[in-house]
Amino acid sequence: GAGRIELCAGLVEGGTTPSMGLLQVVKQCVRVPVFVMIRPRGGDFLYSDREVEVMKADIRLAKLHGADGLVFGALTEDGRIDTELCTALLAVCRPLPVTFHRAFDMVHDPLVALETLISLGFERVLTSGCDSSALEGLSLIKRLAEQAKGRIVVVPGGGITERNLQRILEGSTASEFHCSARSARDSGMKFRNPNVAMGASFCAPEYSIKVADVAKVRTLNAIAKNIL
């Protein structure tokens, strides 16, 4: 029942650019639009010239391998939308639709930032209402949706589950929502070495895999259909 996929790697870091191999395989397996995250690293959204080169190259490759849309965000050091960089990246993305991701939640003034995104031509903005989750930021999400007046789609995202989706959709008047709908699946490995970790200590356990949960997607979609 999902209407669109935002394809990314590095979920522990909030999402980074996926491999083109992943994009190719996903495109072979699904019929819904696949929007590709363009984010060269975790951390902030202030990018160097070399990182910008990587982003442009990744956009071109994503388009070449069948992306239906792109997702990115870039800020200036004082917490404003980087209009110069966004304009340059949008030009590479076109004619595909583009979403400004949750870099929006790190801006200095979200109401001003929304107008900037509209003027630049972004089709969507993904936001938790500049708070720890969409539920916590619900009042701002509603305010942004009212301000947008259909000029851009304001998409709530961040901590959305079956338990809070109805409240978020009704409270924000949003017509779309974004969530990972994931659950943990135990690894099939029988031999396990408990003394070695492949990443930093805060990373997910080595023998647990995060997967998109089909049952959760169906449940969330059913809830949304009853409301929208």
Side-chain angles (χ1 to χ4, degrees), residues 22-223:
L22 177 59
L23 174 58
Q24 279 188 301
V25 172
V26 168
K27 285 291 295 182
Q28 290 167 7
C29 295
V30 304
R31 297 185 183 277
V32 296
V34 178
F35 280 38
V36 176
M37 170 79 78
I38 302 297
R39 187 177 175 220
R41 57 164 172 77
D44 64 37
F45 304 99
L46 182 65
Y47 295 114
S48 68
D49 291 342
R50 286 289 188 225
E51 287 169 335
V52 171
E53 287 182 32
V54 172
M55 294 169 82
K56 289 180 178 178
D58 280 333
I59 291 169
R60 293 187 186 101
L61 285 169
K63 290 172 70 177
L64 186 65
H65 291 292
D68 299 289
L70 287 309
V71 183
F72 69 79
L75 305 178
T76 61
E77 62 183 12
D78 58 352
R80 304 177 196 281
I81 305 295
D82 189 334
T83 55
E84 184 178 351
L85 176 51
C86 285
T87 298
L89 294 177
L90 281 165
V92 183
C93 291
R94 295 310 187 200
L96 299 180
V98 185
T99 299
F100 193 94
H101 61 41
R102 285 189 61 204
F104 184 85
D105 292 323
M106 303 299 188
V107 298
H108 176 71
D109 187 331
L111 302 182
V112 171
L114 185 70
E115 293 300 323
T116 302
L117 295 184
I118 292 168
S119 68
L120 287 171
F122 283 90
E123 279 79 9
R124 290 178 180 84
V125 56
L126 175 62
T127 179
S128 63
C130 301
D131 216 319
S132 56
S133 71
L135 192 59
E136 296 292 328
L138 192 53
S139 60
L140 178 58
I141 295 172
K142 182 180 181 182
R143 189 175 176 188
L144 291 166
E146 290 170 347
Q147 179 181 325
K149 294 178 181 175
R151 295 175 295 160
I152 190 171
V153 180
V154 177
V155 184
I160 293 181
T161 68
E162 309 96 300
R163 295 184 298 277
N164 61 28
L165 176 60
Q166 181 172 346
R167 185 175 166 190
I168 289 168
L169 289 179
E170 290 177 344
S172 66
T173 69
S175 59
E176 300 180 11
F177 69 98
H178 167 102
C179 66
S180 61
R182 66 181 186 251
S183 61
R185 184 179 72 200
D186 193 46
S187 165
M189 287 292 296
K190 289 184 170 56
F191 172 77
R192 304 185 179 193
N193 184 348
N195 302 315
V196 178
M198 293 294 113
S201 58
F202 64 82
C203 289
E206 300 298 331
Y207 298 105
S208 177
I209 303 166
K210 294 289 187 181
V211 296
D213 189 316
V214 173
K216 286 187 177 183
V217 173
R218 286 187 177 135
T219 301
L220 288 157
N221 191 49
I223 293 168

